[in-house]
Amino acid sequence: MVTLLSDNIIEIKKVNFYYGASKALTDVTMDFKKNKVTALIGPSGCGKSTLLRLLNRMNDLIDGTRVEGEVVFEDRNIYDPDVDPVEIRRRIGMVFQKPNPFPKSIFNNITYGPKLGGVKNRSELEALVEQSLKQASLWNEVKDILNQSAMMLSGGQQQRICIARALAMKPDVLLMDEPTSALDPVSTAKIEELIEELKKKYTIIIVTHNMQQAARISDYTGFFYLGKLIEYNPTEKLFTTPDVKQTEEYITGRFG
Amino acid sequence: MNGKEHTSKIYNRELQEIKENLLYLGGLAEKAIQNAMRSLLERDSGLAREVIEADDRINTLDKEIEERCIDLVALRQPVARDLRFIATAIKINAHLERIGDMAVNIAEKAIPLNEEPPVKPYIDLPRMSDTTQAMIRKSLDALVKEDCDLADEVIREDETVDNLNNQIFRELVTFMLEDPRTIHRALLIMQISKNLERISDHATSIAIMVIYLVTGRNIRHGNRAEKSFQNDI
């Protein structure tokens, strides 16, 4: 297990998670390093997406779920009763599998969150739109069509709109749940390059079914199976000489 | 490649075929040394020429194995043990091909030596040759069984061959000092001895790659004590 170091941005301690009676995560302890990309891999139903959603309390929105253990972000357990989940979700943003822009203009997609957060000043919003779109490597493609609907963009562009929308909230951590599984190879490459760029400012945790993607873009990789964290290691280590036999069987395609 | 099979049976078969081809190449290389040495010890220059001609086959197989390995990397993106296996196969392949070249070198020296009376009876050279052939066989056995202990034995035997080589050198120098007419023949024998010594280095490198394949640890370029897998634990 990776040792606790001061450069951890999130620390998960002995977390168990239940959907009603069924247990989705068992005794997971892991740390996420600041300004690094951590990939979570594993077969369907292994708990990796559950863990990702746990990190910004998205699971709260599902009835009958229950969390045990701690998810520590900035010295606070985000499941403490006095923690505001909305604030957590602002600091820990999320990008989903399928691009889900709002049926609004590109401009309004980006400003939707900040406006809710109380930003009213037009020039401030404009600056935010430009900055967020630039960070998402989309500015040059859309700067002249900011008032057009985001729904008119290609899938890859829509996904980058979603990333820009998340960035506009000035988060610390970006959670990505298979952000490229619905995209073609070129759009995927663009998102991957973007992730490389974004980790300078943000911490990224990504769930992916594409192991080559995990190998390409992540610094650390965690392998989950049946709700347990089987192995957590630097990515080069995990993909060349994994410590656990189960990891090896999974990544080399000898599973089941 | 031990343990469970791939979900993809074709991938599994491709890996297996590379391994089988390597072993076949190993067999050819071993046979080449054996024949090269026999051509010297039994003064059979016809056999020496056969060794030189047979090297074509080794070279062709070497290229074929390397191409298959590279194709597999491109098409399958191997990771973990599969990746280590491919990396190991590419290197072992190159070592075996070099061993074939060494056998050719030996055969080329045997032909002129067979034209002249022997400097002295061959005693250490056959021992050296037996040891190096055994080292190749053992290093490939270690690959098949993924056996680090066996690989470790090979690594240790390298010293025996080095010592024999030094001994042969010293002995031949005394012959040359005594009778300068032996110089030409003695130098050819020295080169054969040196070739055998290098073959044992190649076998040692193969053994080191087997340890890498099994454990993921690379013990190349250590001193002999460090090289030992046992000491490395």
Side-chain angles (χ1 to χ4, degrees), chain B residues 64-195:
Chain B
E64 201 182 304
I65 293 174
E66 188 175 289
E67 277 166 16
R68 278 186 175 217
C69 288
I70 290 170
D71 287 350
L72 200 127
V73 170
L75 302 178
R76 301 282 182 184
Q77 290 105 36
V79 291
R81 197 184 194 95
D82 297 335
L83 176 65
R84 299 205 301 277
F85 172 74
I86 290 299
T88 300
I90 290 174
K91 296 198 84 166
I92 289 181
N93 181 45
H95 285 301
L96 291 172
E97 191 275 331
R98 288 299 292 152
I99 288 174
D101 290 346
M102 304 282 144
V104 168
N105 287 345
I106 292 172
E108 283 170 351
K109 308 293 181 294
I111 294 170
L113 276 170
N114 290 346
E115 302 294 313
E116 297 187 53
V119 177
K120 64 181 257 325
Y122 298 120
I123 300 163
D124 288 331
L125 224 42
R127 275 177 58 200
M128 217 175 150
S129 156
D130 289 345
T131 312
T132 48
Q133 283 171 51
M135 282 171 76
I136 298 174
R137 209 176 310 125
K138 240 188 236 181
S139 65
L140 293 175
D141 266 1
L143 173 70
V144 173
K145 296 177 187 153
E146 305 197 345
D147 182 342
C148 286
D149 292 328
L150 202 55
D152 203 33
E153 271 179 41
V154 175
I155 294 167
R156 278 188 255 211
E157 272 165 6
D158 189 33
E159 196 171 4
T160 315
V161 176
D162 286 355
N163 290 340
L164 279 169
N165 181 42
N166 291 335
Q167 195 175 312
I168 289 169
F169 261 57
R170 280 196 300 274
E171 200 183 353
L172 288 169
V173 168
T174 63
F175 274 93
M176 290 191 281
L177 287 171
E178 249 170 54
D179 180 359
R181 282 174 304 173
T182 62
I183 288 177
H184 179 242
R185 280 167 288 162
L187 284 176
L188 288 173
I189 296 169
M190 276 185 175
Q191 288 177 41
I192 290 175
S193 172
K194 183 67 193 164
N195 272 306

Side-chain angles (χ1 to χ4, degrees), chain A residues 239-240 248 251-254, chain B residues 4 6-7 80-82 84:
Chain A
F239 282 96
T240 56
E248 174 149 303
I251 62 174
T252 58
R254 288 181 174 82
Chain B
K4 280 187 188 167
H6 266 280
T7 314
R81 197 184 194 95
D82 297 335
R84 299 205 301 277

